[in-house]
Amino acid sequence: MRYCKLLLADKTPAFASVNNELFATELIPNPLTAQPAPSQSFTPISLAQLEQEHRLLVPVTPSKIVCVGRNYRDHAAELGNDVPTEPLLFLKPPSSLLPAGGIVEYPSLSKRVDFEGELAIIIGKQARKLAAGTDVAPYIHGYTCLNDVTARDIQKSDPQWTRGKGFDTFCPTGPIVSNEINPLSENISLVTRLNGEVKQRGETRDFIFDIPHLLHYISQCMTLEPGDLIATGTPAGVAPMQPGDFVEVEITGLATLRNTIA
């Protein structure tokens, strides 16, 4: 299963299956709610064209976005932080979501805004207080790309990270959701590029806390609902962006998430 969410020509939002050539090929029901697809004809169209026409939408509607800080040792080290002994959690508001092709707004309150490319998990069914050793695969709907945009100076100045991480447009997500990759059993690679130059390279085998550990840990304190996003952390190489830059997050088996900064 690989799908995107898009605006049809009449501005109706819809879900569509995505093939290996990254074309939206046919309309499908909402994969999480089974709400029927719009009953209209549909001509296959490339994700690249949809992005160019600003018709891609964020493919999920989470009640919350749970992020894991410093889940790669090299990223903790590059910012001068200790390696955490348990997952370091924070939230981004759903109002920070931005689709592929959207514009990240550089806030006037900040003098340094960084990219953080990440693999994100989409929750498929309610998870609450999962027992240790629980098979988490049934709770995972799929995976997508995410950019945890961060106003680094504000993050460092505030005792909590909410403001530095939570600006509108600070959570680009998409462009597709897929369950055809399996980070639970295979190593998945991530690359982030700024203006075409590779800045980050990471692999899921380098996680400090793996996905089963994260879902168990998070579910002890909050109920995870279908559609919720879990951002699994970013590797070393974070760097500032400037207005006019473009950033790409590419993950094995997922279409590339591209956004510009203004």
Side-chain angles (χ1 to χ4, degrees), residues 59-81:
V60 291
T61 307
S63 69
K64 52 190 168 293
I65 305 162
V66 186
C67 303
V68 183
R70 303 171 191 164
N71 201 25
Y72 289 80
R73 287 178 177 82
D74 53 0
H75 173 58
E78 75 175 340
L79 296 180
N81 298 306

Side-chain angles (χ1 to χ4, degrees), residues 98 101-107 113-115 147 149 169-170 172 193-195 239-248 258-262:
L98 182 72
I103 297 173
V104 176
E105 299 172 4
Y106 201 114
V113 175
D114 290 4
F115 57 81
N147 186 352
V149 178
T169 75
F170 267 30
R193 291 182 292 269
L194 182 66
N195 299 325
M241 304 178 290
Q242 302 298 329
D245 288 346
F246 68 94
V247 62
E248 301 167 292
R258 299 181 184 86
N259 296 92
T260 56
I261 293 80

